[in-house]
Amino acid sequence: GQQLNQSPQSMFIQEGEDVSMNCTSSSIFNTWLWYKQDPGEGPVLLIALYKAGELTSNGRLTAQFGITRKDSFLNISASIPSDVGIYFCAGLMGAGSYQLTFGKGTKLSVIP
Amino acid sequence: DTAVSQTPKYLVTQMGNDKSIKCEQNLGHDTMYWYKQDSKKFLKIMFSYNNKELIINETVPNRFSPKSPDKAHLNLHINSLELGDSAVYFCASSSTGNSPLHFGNGTRLTVT
């Protein structure tokens, strides 16, 4: 099946720093999604991207849908302690695909 | 108010037992899913139902049997539980097969 390569696997950063993580795939996706998972909870949607080249922001978060449709990145600016968690990229192949493929996650730790 | 709710949140049981996890969504979505998250936090799809019809059945042992009595509910029954079934199971829903998923808060299954 499709695979998403997400990096880095984990990050330790100081509060206030900017963060960047990305996902790449050998397959083309029509939709890229970024989720955050807090301990003991389910993944929560942060940003959805539907068009190649699309750049979308949600507060301090910015994500882009790569032109080749095989990659996406997520940036977090001016990190705060509550940004701690696991961030997942996910891709959908197309209409009626019914199958969201997830990256393996980036575990973010923020040092106050 | 909870959009996707699953019960129980924790389930501890012995090998060989049969158990069920229930899921309900009040979002009016047509599609529901079961995902398994292993100890390394990798999220893997197990099943997908669209309007009560099974769409995706990944390579899951047939000890796992999903049931969708209506499009707002998707339950998961597991027979003859094994140690390797220990994981967090997430229910999710989406409006279509190509829309972002909304996740429940998970059921942590521990088989002893």
Side-chain angles (χ1 to χ4, degrees):
Chain A
Q2 305 87 28
Q3 288 195 358
L4 294 183
N5 300 308
Q6 184 172 350
S7 65
Q9 194 173 353
S10 63
M11 302 180 75
F12 288 83
I13 60 168
Q14 290 285 141
E15 183 176 355
E17 286 184 353
D18 297 344
V19 172
S20 187
M21 58 193 80
N22 69 82
C23 262
T24 60
S25 171
S26 56
S27 303
I28 287 175
F29 287 94
N30 285 338
T31 301
W32 283 93
L33 306 170
W34 284 92
Y35 285 85
K36 182 191 178 200
Q37 185 177 19
D38 290 328
E41 298 186 9
V44 173
L45 182 69
L46 298 174
I47 292 180
L49 302 158
Y50 298 103
K51 285 171 55 174
E54 181 180 353
L55 184 72
T56 297
S57 292
N58 177 5
R60 293 178 296 106
L61 277 59
T62 302
Q64 184 155 33
F65 192 144
I67 290 289
T68 64
R69 296 199 284 158
K70 292 183 179 182
D71 63 305
S72 177
F73 71 74
L74 174 71
N75 286 344
I76 306 172
S77 62
S79 58
I80 59 177
S82 62
D83 290 334
V84 163
I86 302 177
Y87 292 79
F88 291 97
C89 64
L92 276 166
M93 299 210 79
S97 64
Y98 294 103
Q99 186 164 337
L100 194 60
T101 301
F102 279 87
K104 293 190 175 181
T106 295
K107 185 174 181 180
L108 178 64
S109 301
V110 178
I111 305 163
Chain B
D1 267 343
T2 306
V4 181
S5 59
Q6 50 184 113
T7 55
K9 187 162 176 66
Y10 300 96
L11 187 52
V12 181
T13 188
Q14 291 185 322
M15 281 175 55
N17 284 348
D18 303 338
K19 289 294 178 186
S20 292
I21 308 172
K22 295 187 176 181
C23 179
E24 175 182 5
Q25 54 95 3
N26 63 5
L27 295 165
H29 288 167
D30 286 341
T31 309
M32 295 186 72
Y33 311 78
W34 279 108
Y35 276 79
K36 180 180 180 180
Q37 186 172 48
D38 61 24
S39 58
K40 295 186 178 177
K41 304 300 183 186
F42 184 55
L43 280 157
K44 192 171 189 317
I45 190 166
M46 300 172 69
F47 301 103
S48 170
Y49 270 74
N50 179 251
N51 276 322
K52 303 193 298 173
E53 184 181 337
L54 181 65
I55 300 294
I56 291 175
N57 182 353
E58 288 294 293
T59 49
V60 176
N62 58 15
R63 297 182 294 104
F64 290 78
S65 53
K67 279 197 172 49
S68 182
D70 55 62
K71 70 176 192 178
H73 295 83
L74 180 62
N75 303 322
L76 184 65
H77 188 75
I78 316 169
N79 288 330
S80 304
L81 278 154
E82 299 177 357
L83 292 177
D85 296 333
S86 296
V88 182
Y89 292 85
F90 285 100
C91 177
S93 72
S94 65
S95 57
T96 69
N98 198 36
S99 304
L101 272 60
H102 296 255
F103 285 84
N105 279 333
T107 295
R108 180 175 291 278
L109 172 65
T110 303
V111 183
T112 62

